[in-house]
Amino acid sequence: MPSPERRLSTADERRETVLRTALGAFGTKGYYGTTTGEVAKAAGISQAYVYRLFPDKEALFVAVVERCFDRIRESLADGVAQARGSAPETVLHAMAEVYARLIAEENALLLVQMHAQCAAISEPAVREVLQRGYARTVEYVRGVSGATEAQVQEFFARGMLCHLVVAVDAADVDAPWARILSAGIRHY
């Protein structure tokens, strides 16, 4: 009996596998705590193959951060499509709702963003990818919402507050500081 034809993964498929795996690994242990060897093992490939796809850990992390921004942008577009009106406040609210769901469902996105922000302090390539990502995202939010610069700033400030509330689990802390920070923040 002939064996079924085995389909080999293409470099693009392996690259996708490595990026998905690295997202989880970097989300869990951060830029400094994650090795390419750990990513390779989790992806079921050799470390040498990871280096064929990405020249070094920094390039892999930058690609993961870029992927996070792409996923966030897709989510924000879903929010725009779901908005029940075109007023800036309505569109911003709809985008905030889908983003809150996104980070609840795909927790690694939130974790990678937070780790990237920390690494950006001392890693120029990470800082640059964050600058590019935020530039694109801010312009997208401003363009699709028609919001003022102050409204866009408030949208992003609230998003960063959401990150903090989730990171310190403030919604489950019964203390005045936690109630103040998490008031009005939706958790999924």
Side-chain angles (χ1 to χ4, degrees), residues 166-185:
V166 170
V168 300
D169 203 16
D172 292 335
V173 174
D174 186 21
W177 70 266
R179 285 190 296 277
I180 290 168
L181 290 180
S182 60
I185 304 289

Side-chain angles (χ1 to χ4, degrees), residues 87-177:
E89 298 81 6
T90 302
V91 176
L92 291 172
H93 179 74
M95 286 191 293
E97 284 292 313
V98 296
Y99 181 73
R101 280 191 180 88
L102 175 69
I103 62 172
E105 294 167 3
E106 299 179 34
N107 187 257
L109 289 173
L110 169 65
L111 297 173
V112 166
Q113 289 179 74
M114 295 182 81
H115 285 299
Q117 290 168 6
C118 291
I121 294 168
S122 58
E123 301 294 334
V126 177
R127 184 178 322 113
E128 290 168 11
V129 74
L130 284 175
Q131 289 171 346
R132 287 191 310 270
Y134 277 110
R136 286 190 313 270
T137 307
V138 167
E139 288 307 313
Y140 176 76
V141 167
R142 184 170 65 161
V144 299
S145 70
T148 65
E149 289 181 6
Q151 289 171 310
V152 172
Q153 182 188 46
E154 173 67 25
F155 175 81
F156 280 89
R158 190 164 184 82
M160 296 296 175
L161 179 59
C162 289
H163 292 183
L164 173 66
V165 165
V166 170
V168 300
D169 203 16
D172 292 335
V173 174
D174 186 21
W177 70 266

